[in-house]
Amino acid sequence: MRFDQHTVVLLVRPPDAPELPLDAADRLQDAHLAHQAGLVEQGLVLAAGPFVDADDDRLRGFVVLSVSPQEARELYHNDPAVRAGRLAVQVLSWMVPEGNVRFESVPVPRSMLEAAAGD
């Protein structure tokens, strides 16, 4: 059997994440979403999204990338939320039977306002 290998990034809230005023947290979230959208537009991110109703509320998001684990670490080192210490990155390689998972190119929100619009 042949396998496809993808790089997965888990975005995790670290225990020592700084507390921010709501407006600063919102600006940082918008910067994070804009960074993520830029990676999608470059074809580096195959799928991404937040976790909801997780058993562990430190788990914040999941990203599947078309790059090596080292490249993923470098890309997410530049994420504004990671640089600010609000998110930490865990990088893994994920293998699935060849052709088992397919990804479609779809637009992603660049801000919380776009995400809330639901268009």
Side-chain angles (χ1 to χ4, degrees):
M1 178 175 280
R2 297 195 321 190
F3 290 85
D4 290 328
Q5 185 169 333
H6 302 286
T7 299
V8 170
V9 168
L10 294 177
L11 297 169
V12 180
R13 177 71 38 89
D16 60 348
E19 291 296 322
L20 298 174
L22 185 57
D23 62 328
D26 287 347
R27 284 192 307 274
L28 187 59
Q29 182 66 13
D30 282 350
H32 162 70
L33 291 175
H35 177 265
Q36 184 96 325
L39 298 178
V40 169
E41 290 163 1
Q42 294 175 58
L44 304 175
V45 168
L46 301 171
F51 289 117
V52 294
D53 299 328
D55 288 339
D56 184 343
D57 65 354
R58 293 173 302 162
L59 297 174
R60 308 304 296 165
F62 178 81
V63 186
V64 181
L65 296 108
S66 63
V67 300
S68 72
Q70 184 56 36
E71 288 174 280
R73 285 182 192 92
E74 291 169 11
L75 293 170
Y76 279 87
H77 176 73
N78 292 319
D79 183 305
V82 173
R83 286 195 326 253
R86 292 280 287 178
L87 293 175
V89 174
Q90 295 180 1
V91 179
L92 312 105
S93 290
W94 181 45
M95 292 177 49
V96 295
E98 187 176 57
N100 184 246
V101 177
R102 298 188 194 283
F103 299 97
E104 298 287 330
S105 179
V106 298
V108 297
R110 297 191 71 82
S111 68
M112 292 302 292
L113 184 61
E114 277 187 30
D119 292 339

